[in-house]
Amino acid sequence: WTDESELSSVIGVGATDKNNEVTSYSNYGSNIDIYAPAGTASLGLLTLDLVGNAGDNGFDSNYSFWFGTSLSAPTISGVIALMLSIDPTLTPNEIRSLLINNADIVASDLTADTYPKVNTNNTLNAIP
């Protein structure tokens, strides 16, 4: 069995928290190409709640705070969409390289590891 993040056509995305730490629910390791914030109330990320379970969050009941790589992956997808709006001829390998080579390298306080966290501004400015 192969993890989807091992496929060359897939950009593996991991999740970080408000302290730039890899979250406990994120995948990690060599198959993860880039990290992005996971949605949480402390990060101020809202998502559409089609179920209507938003509760009393001070916002319209169609929105609620969620967390997980389910929010990190769309963040990277949005950055890729912006990249392609600048240069629609970018190949998947060019996109991956631009994301990684222009990311912030974050050092984890919990481990000795470092990892690339998306930097949208740097990435967009690096597109020729």
Side-chain angles (χ1 to χ4, degrees):
W1 183 79
T2 301
D3 185 300
E4 290 82 1
S5 64
E6 294 178 41
L7 300 173
S8 63
S9 60
V10 172
I11 295 175
V13 177
T16 60
D17 65 17
K18 68 178 183 177
N19 297 314
N20 283 332
E21 293 289 345
V22 175
T23 64
S24 62
Y25 49 81
S26 177
N27 205 344
Y28 57 91
S30 62
N31 295 335
I32 302 300
D33 298 299
I34 192 83
Y35 289 82
T40 64
S42 62
L43 288 174
L45 298 177
L46 288 172
T47 187
L48 186 60
D49 184 357
L50 297 177
V51 180
N53 295 325
D56 185 22
N57 59 19
F59 295 94
D60 183 292
S61 63
N62 291 329
Y63 294 92
S64 63
F65 292 106
W66 287 79
F67 64 92
T69 52
S70 296
L71 293 170
S72 301
T75 297
I76 298 301
S77 296
V79 174
I80 293 170
L82 290 170
M83 294 167 72
L84 291 169
S85 75
I86 294 169
D87 183 354
T89 67
L90 289 171
T91 66
N93 285 336
E94 290 171 329
I95 290 169
R96 178 183 280 108
S97 293
L98 282 163
L99 284 169
I100 294 168
N101 293 333
N102 295 287
D104 295 329
I105 303 303
V106 178
S108 172
D109 288 337
L110 301 176
T111 67
D113 297 334
T114 61
Y115 53 89
K117 184 174 179 187
V118 68
N119 184 316
T120 305
N121 188 55
N122 287 353
T123 301
L124 297 179
N125 285 329
I127 298 171

